[in-house]
Amino acid sequence: QVQLVESGGGLVQPGGSLRLSCAASGSIGSIADMGWYRQAPGTQRELVADITSGGGTNYADSVKGRFTISRDNAKNTVYLQMNSLAPEDTAVYYCNAVIRPVLYSSFFTYWGQGTQVTVSS
């Protein structure tokens, strides 16, 4: 069984920073893309950023220049460094990973439980 566990959310003032972490654990054969999505109340879940196993990155236009995604393949962990946070960044942030479990030949998409990020003065 594969699990994604997120940490690092919380309350921060506008202009502040937070770092989210997401660790994958369990019977992992290999991990392809990893990423972060977010969902604000009354909206659809949207991609924030993702990163390939080779380190290629992709960002939503709304976070370019403010957020940085990275990963540690040895630790099966993906990070999201969020700077210059604004109230419109308030949302539940979800970790996502495409993983091939041990003894499987196919990849499956897994989600974390979500972590709340609130930007408010």
Side-chain angles (χ1 to χ4, degrees):
Q1 189 167 350
V2 173
Q3 293 185 79
L4 300 181
V5 178
E6 300 139 340
S7 61
L11 173 65
V12 64
Q13 292 187 342
S17 298
L18 282 176
R19 189 193 195 209
L20 305 182
S21 300
C22 171
S25 63
S27 301
I28 297 171
S30 59
I31 303 178
D33 292 0
M34 303 184 81
W36 292 93
Y37 288 70
R38 67 186 180 186
Q39 187 169 19
T43 70
Q44 291 189 331
R45 192 173 297 188
E46 63 175 3
L47 174 68
V48 177
D50 58 21
I51 183 168
T52 68
S53 57
T57 59
N58 176 50
Y59 295 91
D61 288 343
S62 59
V63 307
K64 283 180 181 176
R66 301 188 299 123
F67 291 10
T68 302
I69 190 170
S70 61
R71 64 190 281 176
D72 184 333
N73 291 331
K75 295 181 178 180
N76 292 334
T77 299
V78 62
Y79 306 96
L80 185 69
Q81 178 66 42
M82 305 185 292
N83 299 328
S84 301
L85 283 160
E88 51 266 35
D89 295 315
T90 296
V92 178
Y93 284 70
Y94 296 91
C95 173
N96 165 282
V98 180
I99 297 173
R100 181 184 63 78
V102 172
L103 302 181
Y104 282 75
S105 59
S106 298
F107 285 80
F108 301 91
T109 299
Y110 295 86
W111 292 91
Q113 79 284 0
T115 185
Q116 177 70 46
V117 171
T118 302
V119 184
S120 175
S121 55

